[in-house]
Structure formats: structure tokens, C-alpha cells
Amino acid sequence: MGAWGAGLYSNDDAADFVDLIRAALRLPQPVDKLVSLLLKEAEEEMEHRALSVLILADQLEKRGIRHPETYAEAINVLEFGSDIKILRDLNVDEKDIRSRTESNMKILSRLKNPRPEKPRKPLKKPQPAVVGVGDYVRFPTQHRGSRNPYFPPGREDFRADGWGIVQVHDMGWEFECLNWVKLIRLEWEHQHPPCAQDAENAPPVDNLAFGTLSPSHFKRMEMEIIGNQPPRADASPPRPGERTARFAALNDISIANLLIGYV
């Protein structure tokens, strides 16, 4: 369990659950199915169902998404003080509990009189994969860092003076919809563009890492697939505590974040 505070979102598990909710609501599935998925995930991520239901109901209401069953269960939690009992069991200070109780009354009011419903804008289909397992990908670099795809084209201060290489070791989809990749960076110190044979001979310079790679980032970073070989055996596993495939996909952490500041 993460660190605890008196606020509904004051512990680490709650913050992670909000990220999961945000991502899940992008999936092209009915709300009933998404709620079931989220509550099932919460069984593994959060210790108390009362808290996960309360967070889920609060997030749905804030987004104008109606789900009467979740609202009703959360209202029951608030009216019976189930979450307050959890805080007392954790020896949270009574002053903080009074503050939480006041906050709960505001949530209760919103759940009983929810805001007008708003249409969701989910993804229409699974995110496309722009690379495959085993692909070697090259891209231009400046001071060994890639072009920043978050800058508007033409506005970034980027003058290519070399090349970077990565190999894709794995890829897939979270919830059959949110794409992720697992890759290794390879050493290339020459100014001429590497070919497939160069990539095969280039040594790793870091551990395997997870991220996302959208078609727009692939294009803006001027990436190019130059070959494909089985994932190399000399790649070290991700470091302990590094982001997972799920974390990268849910939070849309581009592999550009791994490559922009490459030194």
C-alpha cells in the first residue's frame, strides 16, 4: 500500500487508480463493462473496496458519466462512513478526519444531484502499432538526443549531427487497445546513417525500457525501420522500479522521453 493521507486522493494507490480510470475511459467499450474492469483491477491495486468505489464514482461524476449502480454504492459508503472507519483504523488525526468528512458531504451532494451527462469520446479502435518485434529503428540526433516530437514542427532548435538506433524487443496492447513497446538503445558514434548490419553489431548502452510510440511521434522523430532480427540476447532487463508496460500505456509515456535527453 502507498503512503496514506486523510484526503480521498492522498495515498499513492488512489493516484494510480485515477490514472487507470482515465485510461480505461478511453477504451471503446460500454460503461458497464469498464466499471466491472476497473473494480476488478482495483481488487489487486487497492486494499479497500469502499475507497475504490468512492474514487470511481467521484471520477465518473466529474466527467459527466452516469453509472447509477456505482453512484448508489458510493452513496452508501458515504452515508455509513465506511471510509472514515478505515481512516480511524489507520489512526489518522481527528482534525484531518473532520476535513475529510466535510469533503465527503460535497461528494455526496454531487452524487445525489449529478451534473448533466456528457458524451464520452473513446478511441474508435486499438491504437496502431508502427513497429514490430525485432525491428531496428534509426533516427537523427543532435548531441546524441533525438528530435523532440512535442515541439511544433519547424519550431524546435534541432540540427542533426548524428544518429541513434533502438531495437524493439516486445510490443503489445493493454486492455487490447493501448499500445506499448519495449526497446533497447544501441551505441552508434558515427555521423553516417547506420544500416541493418551496423545495428546488429552495435552494443547496448542501456537497459530495456517501456514506452509508447504513436505514428505522429514516429514521423516527427524521423524514425525509419532499417532491419529486423530476433530480439538480441545481450539486452539487460529493465531496472527494478522502472515503468512497466501497463504504466507506460496508461500514462502514454512516449519513448521520446527516453531518447530526447540521451547523453
Side-chain angles (χ1 to χ4, degrees):
M1 182 189 300
W4 271 89
L8 179 58
Y9 298 101
S10 294
N11 72 80
D12 300 336
D13 294 335
D16 291 343
F17 189 42
V18 171
D19 290 337
L20 179 61
I21 293 169
R22 185 185 301 113
L25 292 177
R26 299 173 63 202
L27 303 180
Q29 298 176 2
V31 174
D32 278 345
K33 186 171 183 179
L34 295 179
V35 166
S36 296
L37 180 154
L38 286 164
L39 291 177
K40 183 176 180 181
E41 290 287 323
E43 290 177 3
E44 300 180 6
E45 301 295 331
M46 300 186 66
E47 184 175 354
H48 303 284
R49 180 180 172 92
L51 297 179
S52 58
V53 167
L54 187 51
I55 290 170
L56 178 56
D58 185 51
Q59 290 294 312
L60 292 177
E61 195 284 325
K62 286 178 177 177
R63 290 168 168 78
I65 299 173
R66 298 288 180 87
H67 195 261
E69 293 84 355
T70 302
Y71 285 12
E73 187 173 351
I75 288 170
N76 186 67
V77 168
L78 292 167
E79 291 184 336
F80 282 89
S82 304
D83 63 321
I84 300 299
K85 182 180 184 303
I86 292 170
L87 294 179
R88 287 203 167 100
D89 289 344
L90 291 166
N91 297 316
V92 172
D93 187 90
E94 283 297 322
K95 180 180 178 180
D96 292 331
I97 288 179
R98 287 195 295 273
S99 177
R100 170 66 172 269
T101 301
E102 292 177 4
S103 176
N104 279 0
M105 292 304 99
K106 295 177 182 178
I107 297 174
L108 180 61
S109 176
R110 287 196 289 105
L111 293 179
K112 288 185 174 182
N113 300 280
R115 71 195 67 201
E117 192 165 9
K118 299 178 182 178
R120 271 196 316 131
K121 296 181 179 179
L123 296 170
K124 295 182 179 180
K125 56 185 179 181
Q127 293 174 330
V130 293
V131 292
V133 176
D135 281 349
Y136 282 110
V137 181
R138 71 183 180 193
F139 50 93
T141 61
Q142 180 183 24
H143 306 313
R144 305 185 74 193
S146 72
R147 183 186 297 274
N148 189 334
Y150 296 103
F151 283 123
R155 293 190 180 181
E156 74 276 30
D157 183 17
F158 182 85
R159 294 175 178 80
D161 58 15
W163 294 86
I165 317 172
V166 295
Q167 187 189 31
V168 180
H169 267 234
D170 199 4
M171 53 83 65
W173 287 265
E174 282 295 312
F175 303 117
E176 302 178 351
C177 194
L178 304 176
N179 185 243
W180 55 267
V181 296
K182 181 182 183 183
L183 53 77
I184 186 74
R185 293 187 302 193
L186 305 174
E187 184 65 71
W188 185 252
E189 298 182 348
H190 309 285
Q191 290 188 325
H192 65 274
C195 65
Q197 187 64 51
D198 294 327
E200 293 173 26
N201 294 330
V205 293
D206 207 345
N207 295 58
L208 287 161
F210 292 97
T212 61
L213 181 57
S214 67
S216 64
H217 281 194
F218 188 90
K219 181 179 180 180
R220 290 179 185 177
M221 294 169 72
E222 299 182 57
M223 288 183 151
E224 180 184 3
I225 297 171
I226 57 174
N228 183 285
Q229 289 287 332
R232 53 199 304 156
D234 58 352
S236 300
R239 296 184 181 91
E242 288 292 303
R243 68 177 66 101
T244 62
R246 170 162 293 194
F247 186 86
L250 292 181
N251 293 278
D252 192 19
I253 300 178
S254 172
I255 64 166
N257 291 289
L258 305 171
L259 305 175
I260 292 170
Y262 175 36
V263 294

